[in-house]
């Protein structure tokens, strides 16, 4: 992806996951923004792009971060929201035996005490592969991979969800299900 489109993608993540109000944009409770509104609100803040650029970013996003509605008029972030007013109904699924969570080594002593918490987001984010977990972890410092006994958790009544882009979500993970 070009540098310009990567910058727009980061801007879209910021407004669609965390702060739509920063540009005067409204999301509905399922997290959808009207694409034409988004373009207008962004323009007022100096981010100038057309719908075709948004569609190109959605298609080329490595993690499929954004979803376009079936009518083609709306866009939302597939996961990662911090806003409590957005309540996406994620698909509940049976997880694989093991899932991975990438974190930073500096967080491990707190994680040992409290388990994994969603922190500023709505859910703890998990992946099916270690490479993704390392990439996620290194955003916060020296990466560390945690192995989550997901199926074991599920069998004990914890719920697991999957976003449209395949990312696994759960509300919190007690330390007993975590292997360092
Ligand atoms: C850590 C990216 C101390 C947690 C990725 C993480 C992901 C604790 C950090 C998505 C803790 C929160 C989410 C505890 C958890 N004490 N630290 N008890 N419990 N933590 O950014 O998982 O590329 O909110 O380990 O792909 O890093 O942006 O979550 O290190 O799917 O599309 O607190 O964001 O997607 O950090 O990342 P974040 P995350 P994008």
């Amino acid at each position: 992806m070009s540098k310009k489109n990567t910058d727009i993608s980061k801007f879209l993540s910021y407004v669609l996951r965390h702060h739509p109000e920063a540009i005067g944009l409204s999301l509905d409770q399922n997290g959808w923004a009207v694409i034409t509104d988004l373009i207008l609100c962004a323009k007022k803040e100096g981010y100038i792009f057309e719908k075709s650029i948004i569609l190109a970013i959605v298609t080329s996003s490595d993690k499929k971060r954004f979803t376009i509605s079936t009518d083609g008029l709306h866009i939302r972030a597939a996961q990662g929201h911090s806003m409590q007013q957005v309540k996406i109904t994620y698909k509940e699924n049976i997880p694989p035996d093991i899932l991975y969570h990438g974190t930073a080594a500096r967080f491990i002593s707190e994680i040992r005490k409290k388990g994994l918490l969603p922190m500023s987001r709505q859910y703890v984010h998990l992946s099916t592969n270690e490479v993704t977990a390392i990439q996620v972890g290194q955003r916060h410092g020296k990466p560390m991979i945690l192995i989550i006994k997901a199926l074991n958790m599920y069998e004990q009544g914890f719920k697991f969800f999957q976003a449209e882009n395949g990312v696994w979500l759960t509300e919190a993970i007690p330390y007993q299900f975590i292997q360092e």
Side-chain angles (χ1 to χ4, degrees):
M1 206 187 280
S2 67
K3 161 93 173 73
K4 182 173 173 245
N5 283 11
T6 301
D7 288 348
I8 296 170
S9 177
K10 286 185 178 164
F11 168 79
L12 292 178
S13 286
Y14 178 77
V15 298
L16 296 175
R17 288 173 173 173
H18 309 297
H19 291 293
E21 79 289 349
I23 61 165
L25 181 69
S26 319
L27 307 187
D28 74 11
Q29 58 179 12
N30 293 308
W32 295 109
V34 177
I35 294 174
T36 47
D37 290 352
L38 168 64
I39 291 168
L40 279 179
C41 291
K43 196 172 181 183
K44 286 187 214 142
E45 298 299 317
Y47 284 85
I48 297 169
F49 48 80
E50 294 166 8
K51 186 168 177 177
S52 59
I53 300 215
I54 296 186
L55 298 181
I57 289 169
V58 171
T59 314
S60 59
S61 165
D62 53 350
K63 292 186 180 169
K64 299 189 170 58
R65 290 184 177 88
F66 312 103
T67 310
I68 301 291
S69 58
T70 42
D71 64 9
L73 301 177
H74 303 79
I75 183 170
R76 74 177 173 192
Q79 36 63 226
H81 300 79
S82 55
M83 297 162 288
Q84 293 306 319
Q85 63 270 35
V86 169
K87 296 251 180 283
I88 298 180
T89 312
Y90 291 110
K91 203 165 161 235
E92 212 179 313
N93 269 339
I94 303 174
D97 194 16
I98 293 288
L99 284 168
Y100 300 94
H101 176 85
T103 190
R106 66 194 167 97
F107 296 147
I108 194 62
S109 58
E110 268 313 287
I111 293 171
R112 284 183 189 134
K113 283 186 223 152
K114 297 183 185 155
L116 280 168
L117 300 172
M119 308 306 275
S120 65
R121 304 193 197 242
Q122 294 178 350
Y123 295 93
V124 175
H125 287 227
L126 304 165
S127 66
T128 50
N129 70 84
E130 294 176 80
V131 175
T132 304
I134 290 176
Q135 285 165 355
V136 172
Q138 67 193 8
R139 289 153 54 247
H140 303 286
K142 186 171 169 264
M144 179 168 183
I145 294 183
L146 302 177
I147 299 169
I148 312 301
K149 298 172 197 165
L151 189 59
N152 192 345
M153 274 181 77
Y154 173 82
E155 284 164 355
Q156 295 194 36
F158 291 85
K159 289 186 175 167
F160 283 79
F161 305 92
Q162 247 184 317
E164 289 138 348
N165 58 2
V167 169
W168 285 90
L169 307 165
T170 193
E171 275 171 14
I173 304 180
Y175 187 69
Q176 68 195 89
F177 298 107
I178 300 171
Q179 211 174 295
E180 290 180 28

